[in-house]
Amino acid sequence: DQEAVESNVSRIVYANKDNAKVYNISGRVIGHINANTEMQLTGINGNICRVVKDGKTAYMYQSDLSTEKVDVEDDSTASRIVYVNKNGAKVYNISG
């Protein structure tokens, strides 16, 4: 029962992964957030946390939260080396 959430908790937390799910009080997914999104933790009940962002209250699993920002891999910085074995070969980007 999420109504029994302790309300005496108050500290800053961050999403610890991209696409972390955010739930309403009924347990329905209402959105996703990116890693390192800053929120105010206002309550904990078991593994469910009540968080507030921009004045809006939602719920997240404790396993999706961190007390510190996390390192996130950025695919855009990966270098790619391509060798062409014939003249006129077609080259495609990652999306084809």
Side-chain angles (χ1 to χ4, degrees), residues 3-69:
E3 290 299 322
V5 171
E6 297 173 22
S7 60
N8 59 352
V9 178
S10 181
R11 64 176 170 259
I12 299 294
V13 292
Y14 304 92
N16 66 13
K17 64 182 179 183
D18 282 333
N19 252 353
K21 291 180 182 176
V22 180
Y23 301 86
N24 66 12
I25 195 164
S26 301
R28 173 182 277 167
V29 175
I30 56 172
H32 297 84
I33 59 175
N34 291 326
N36 297 320
T37 299
E38 184 177 309
M39 298 159 281
Q40 183 75 29
L41 175 68
T42 61
I44 301 172
N45 182 13
N47 64 346
I48 303 295
C49 295
R50 183 177 58 217
V51 293
V52 177
K53 169 105 175 103
D54 299 329
K56 296 178 183 173
T57 300
Y59 298 86
M60 295 181 68
Y61 283 104
Q62 192 170 11
S63 60
D64 289 340
L65 298 172
S66 173
T67 56
E68 298 178 359
K69 289 189 175 185

Side-chain angles (χ1 to χ4, degrees), residues 79-85 89-93:
S79 63
R80 294 175 179 87
I81 299 174
V82 178
Y83 298 96
V84 177
N85 65 359
K90 294 181 181 179
V91 179
Y92 299 92
N93 67 12

